Amino acid sequence: MALAQPDPGGPPARAEGFGPVERRTAPLRGSLATTACMETLQVGYLHAVAAAAGCSLSQPFPDNGIDWHVSHGAAAHTVDDEVTIKVQLKCTYQIPPHPAGGAFSFTLDNAHLVKLARTPVAVHKILVVMIVPRSQDEWLRAGPGSLDLRHCCYWTNLAGHAVTGRYRTTVRIPTSRVFDDRALCDIMARVGAGGRP
């Protein structure tokens, strides 16, 4: 008969926002650049949100400054039976989780902002910014009950936003605009009714 022994290291560790995690040695991660891994993580987040919202995804090739097209079909749409928006993804670990105040600052190259700010447009565009922990060890946790990605994506529509910097412009991303399946469905409902995201 085996007897459970107390953990000499004390109670199970807890990562911020997560339950107890077992102590283990750090995994041997691949040599892919962190920024490339961040891009992959945000694409996974977008896929999960689109799946839960009942949307289809397509990736323009070649990429001309817009990462993804997201389409949503519903009989309730009045402008068409299927509407599409363009999504530009960005990811950063330089902003802490749960940004204080009603918005956080994010800087874009002016040429990129001009593309996202153009108005009027035939297909609306949104910017989706994902905030992640600096360490890849903290990006996700998986268990029988859930798969948790950290930290969060936020979205905004920059149509009509002015360029204010010489080479780069800082924009404000509202923290009330969490990008999840309900937010995406709401965006698509507004676009499907002939409005803006």
Side-chain angles (χ1 to χ4, degrees):
M1 170 188 256
L3 296 175
Q5 298 296 316
D7 179 2
R14 288 185 180 267
E16 180 186 340
F18 292 107
V21 293
E22 64 183 63
R23 294 184 194 278
R24 55 184 176 202
T25 58
L28 177 61
R29 300 194 187 276
S31 59
L32 197 60
T34 301
T35 52
C37 294
M38 289 166 66
E39 288 177 18
T40 303
L41 185 71
Q42 67 186 358
V43 168
Y45 188 115
L46 175 65
H47 276 71
V49 168
C55 293
S56 62
L57 293 168
S58 60
Q59 195 170 21
F61 182 80
D63 177 343
N64 188 24
I66 293 295
D67 293 323
W68 292 90
H69 293 183
V70 182
S71 298
H72 181 275
H77 292 323
T78 58
V79 296
D80 200 344
D81 63 335
E82 183 177 74
V83 294
T84 299
I85 61 167
K86 298 177 180 180
V87 176
Q88 178 62 47
L89 297 174
K90 295 291 182 184
C91 193
T92 182
Y93 53 69
Q94 296 178 345
I95 298 166
H98 314 294
F104 61 89
S105 297
F106 191 80
T107 304
L108 292 167
D109 291 334
N110 286 345
H112 213 158
L113 175 59
V114 167
K115 186 172 203 63
L116 293 171
R118 182 180 175 137
T119 188
V121 293
V123 180
H124 294 282
K125 304 175 186 90
I126 63 170
L127 172 67
V128 175
V129 178
M130 184 173 189
I131 298 175
V132 297
R134 184 175 291 269
S135 170
Q136 284 176 259
D137 287 331
E138 299 176 18
W139 285 1
L140 65 87
R141 294 280 187 268
S146 66
L147 171 66
D148 297 316
L149 290 177
R150 298 179 69 203
H151 292 287
C152 190
C153 283
Y154 302 88
W155 73 276
T156 193
N157 177 6
L158 293 172
H161 196 290
V163 169
T164 56
R166 185 170 181 185
Y167 302 108
R168 296 169 63 80
T169 296
T170 299
V171 300
R172 301 285 289 164
I173 313 294
T175 54
S176 61
R177 291 189 179 165
V178 171
F179 187 69
D180 61 10
D181 59 315
R182 290 181 180 273
L184 182 54
C185 287
D186 288 346
I187 289 168
M188 292 306 201
R190 289 189 291 271
V191 172
R196 291 174 42 158

